[in-house]
Amino acid sequence: MQLSERLLAAVGLVTRGNRVADIGCDHAYTSIYLCRQGIAPSAIAADVHPGPLLRAKQNVELYGLTEQISLRLSDGLASFSEGEADTLLLTGMGGLLMLNILSEFPDVTASAKELVLQPQSEVVLVRHWLHNSGYKITMERMIKEEEKFYVLIHAVKTDVLQHYEQECYYVYGKELAIEDRKVFGEFLAREKKLREEVLLKLSVQETKKTKEREQELQQELLLIKAAALAHKL
């Protein structure tokens, strides 16, 4: 079985020996990989949709992992109990959905030793939520796959409330893996170029709305510059 680079980066953030809850497991490829590689002794592959869960069941049986991987029809963490998993793994979903899942059953979320998250959107909200909810972001990865950039976050519970000193860290991340600096630099360059192109188009217009948008874009460019300076890019 071969995982995408994005999912390989996700499983790479899972602490070896942890029991994993794969939320939104789709066809359970990630759970299967974790158990076959000996990273996780067991996994719970959960999905809200019966169809993907049926395919997951077939895949788990195909690889002979029915003793290690259990399957669960669950709307997020609704069917989970406290302490069932050491790692909560959520990939391939929007940031707001991810936060809804983690927030709806806070005791279950807090009982896990670590969170491994790959939000497809609203990443800034995810980072703010983690700090506001008593988590420390220990590692981030940025992967480029098929011309798309993906952020992966590893976070653990902490007794000391965390806070980034610069907003650019919430928008673009701080705990970046060294091996991802080149990809991150490419990402920031693309973000800068996109905003500059929009500013150029707006410059020929003279409406109140376009002026407000120009100011927003200038602030966003300042954040990009601050992120590049902070990461010495």
Side-chain angles (χ1 to χ4, degrees):
M1 174 178 293
Q2 184 160 353
L3 296 182
S4 66
E5 189 175 355
R6 168 179 64 89
L7 291 179
L8 280 174
V11 299
L13 294 178
V14 174
T15 299
R16 184 173 290 272
N18 276 9
R19 300 164 301 153
V20 176
D22 184 3
I23 310 301
C25 69
D26 196 25
H27 294 168
Y29 293 138
T30 306
S31 295
I32 291 169
Y33 183 92
L34 284 165
C35 290
R36 288 190 76 200
Q37 297 298 317
I39 299 170
S42 63
I44 302 171
D47 205 285
V48 69
H49 301 295
L53 207 60
L54 177 59
R55 286 294 304 275
K57 180 176 183 293
Q58 293 169 346
N59 290 331
V60 169
E61 291 173 349
L62 177 65
Y63 285 95
L65 293 169
T66 55
E67 295 296 317
Q68 288 178 268
I69 300 175
S70 59
L71 298 148
R72 189 170 299 180
L73 185 65
S74 181
D75 186 357
L77 297 172
S79 300
F80 283 78
S81 301
E82 294 178 41
E84 276 197 282
D86 304 308
T87 302
L88 297 184
L89 175 65
L90 290 83
T91 63
M93 64 182 73
L96 285 178
L97 174 58
M98 188 174 288
L99 296 185
N100 287 337
I101 290 172
L102 295 173
S103 301
E104 191 172 7
F105 299 94
D107 291 341
V108 175
T109 300
S111 70
K113 296 177 181 178
E114 66 183 5
L115 305 179
V116 176
L117 312 174
Q118 188 265 299
Q120 301 275 54
S121 58
E122 296 98 18
V123 184
V124 60
L125 298 182
V126 173
R127 294 189 182 104
H128 274 293
W129 182 89
L130 287 168
H131 279 180
N132 292 335
S133 302
Y135 285 89
K136 179 180 180 180
I137 299 171
T138 60
M139 172 69 77
E140 291 202 20
R141 299 290 316 275
M142 175 164 278
I143 302 298
K144 184 181 181 183
E145 187 176 81
E146 296 181 354
E147 300 307 311
K148 293 183 180 180
F149 294 90
Y150 297 95
V151 173
L152 299 106
I153 300 172
H154 179 273
V156 297
K157 263 290 184 182
T158 178
D159 295 328
V160 181
L161 195 63
Q162 303 292 303
H163 181 73
Y164 286 151
E165 61 274 17
Q166 297 185 59
E167 180 62 20
C168 70
Y169 288 138
Y170 284 106
V171 179
Y172 293 108
K174 183 179 183 181
E175 310 301 333
L176 184 71
I178 294 174
E179 62 265 33
D180 297 336
R181 286 175 57 80
K182 182 178 179 182
V183 174
F184 183 66
E186 185 181 344
F187 171 72
L188 287 183
R190 190 198 70 169
E191 294 289 289
K192 181 174 181 287
K193 181 181 178 182
L194 288 173
R195 284 156 179 79
E196 288 175 342
E197 288 175 349
V198 175
L199 275 173
L200 186 61
K201 293 177 181 178
L202 292 176
S203 64
V204 298
Q205 304 177 39
E206 292 292 336
T207 68
K208 181 181 178 181
K209 188 174 181 180
T210 57
K211 290 298 181 184
E212 290 174 351
R213 181 59 183 142
E214 284 179 352
Q215 291 177 353
E216 292 173 356
L217 288 166
Q218 292 291 359
Q219 290 300 313
E220 291 170 12
L221 285 169
L222 288 175
L223 285 174
I224 293 170
K225 182 178 180 180
L229 287 172
H231 288 280
K232 299 178 180 176
L233 294 174

